[in-house]
């Protein structure tokens, strides 16, 4: 009796595992460029008359604060959101990270002169200095100081043995 029960239990566990793997790799979802075939599954969230599509898994960490606006201010550094997370390592084994910098200004403003606190940021992978460059210790410039349009996104990848914590230090409202 115990052997039969263990056989049925192990068969059931194998079937559940197999079905989970089939569901994961069945082609549902959207390919992510450069992710070696990994897919993000989408989750539908209904809120009133709106349906939001969100990633099944949050792969990028978000550094977002609520804007603390003084009446009449057009924008603030809280209108710039930085997401970053790990991506596939370089062939040499050095970990890589993808960074997304977004302008989420609700008043329709373009934001320029975006500076980030970035420590001694460095990368084993070349980064276009017009997109992101370290000026000095703890001061990195985004988009060569030019405006990031409302709703715009910049992204780049860097390679280092650890993730650099990045946060907005100052911006210029256009």
């Amino acid at each position: 009796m115990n052997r039969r029960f263990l056989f049925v239990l192990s068969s059931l566990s194998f079937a559940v595992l197999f079905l989970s793997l089939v569901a994961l790799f069945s082609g549902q979802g959207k390919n992510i460029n450069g992710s070696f075939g990994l897919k993000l599954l989408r989750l539908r969230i209904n809120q009133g008359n709106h349906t939001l599509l969100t990633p099944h898994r949050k792969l990028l960490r978000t550094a977002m604060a609520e804007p603390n606006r003084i009446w009449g201010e057009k924008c603030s550094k809280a209108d710039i959101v930085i997401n970053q997370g790990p991506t596939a390592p370089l062939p040499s084994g050095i970990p890589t990270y993808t960074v997304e910098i977004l302008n989420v200004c609700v008043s329709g403003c373009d934001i320029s002169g975006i500076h980030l606190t970035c420590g001694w940021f460095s990368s084993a992978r070349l980064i276009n200095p017009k997109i992101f460059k370290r000026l000095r210790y703890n001061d990195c410039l985004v988009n060569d100081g030019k405006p990031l349009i409302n709703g715009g996104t910049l992204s780049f990848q860097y390679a280092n043995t650890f993730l650099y914590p990045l946060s907005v230090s100052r911006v210029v409202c256009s």
Side-chain angles (χ1 to χ4, degrees):
M1 181 78 172
N2 280 340
R3 286 184 184 170
R4 186 180 298 167
F5 176 74
L6 290 175
F7 177 74
V8 169
L9 184 61
S10 63
S11 298
L12 184 62
S13 298
F14 179 78
V16 168
L17 177 64
F18 178 76
L19 290 175
S20 298
L21 290 173
V22 167
L24 182 64
F25 296 108
S26 67
Q28 296 174 358
K30 177 183 173 190
N31 276 332
I32 304 171
N33 292 336
S35 65
F36 299 97
L38 294 176
K39 298 179 184 288
L40 277 180
L41 297 177
R42 299 284 181 184
L43 175 66
R44 289 185 176 269
I45 299 173
N46 291 320
Q47 292 183 339
N49 294 333
H50 305 289
T51 300
L52 301 174
L53 290 176
T54 62
H56 172 62
R57 291 180 8 177
K58 301 270 186 197
L59 297 178
L60 300 175
R61 294 192 310 172
T62 303
M64 185 171 176
E66 283 296 317
N68 187 11
R69 295 197 204 290
I70 298 173
W71 185 81
E73 275 188 342
K74 189 171 181 182
C75 71
S76 74
K77 65 183 186 177
D79 291 318
I80 298 295
V81 175
I82 301 168
N83 296 321
Q84 70 172 312
T87 50
L90 295 177
S92 62
I94 300 173
T96 63
Y97 303 92
T98 297
V99 177
E100 290 180 336
I101 302 170
L102 299 89
N103 177 351
V104 295
C105 181
V106 294
S107 60
C109 53
D110 296 343
I111 302 176
S112 61
I114 302 168
H115 288 260
L116 306 182
T117 57
C118 56
W120 285 114
F121 183 89
S122 65
S123 176
R125 170 180 276 169
L126 185 63
I127 301 170
N128 183 347
K130 291 183 177 185
I131 294 177
F132 187 82
K133 68 179 168 188
R134 183 170 58 85
L135 302 173
R136 63 189 64 83
Y137 172 73
N138 224 19
D139 186 16
C140 290
L141 183 64
V142 175
N143 203 26
D144 213 20
K146 296 176 184 163
L148 182 58
I149 62 169
N150 182 37
T153 301
L154 284 177
S155 67
F156 63 91
Q157 288 188 337
Y158 68 92
N160 204 313
T161 53
F162 59 89
L163 181 140
Y164 281 96
L166 303 173
S167 61
V168 180
S169 59
R170 64 185 187 272
V171 298
V172 175
C173 297
S174 304

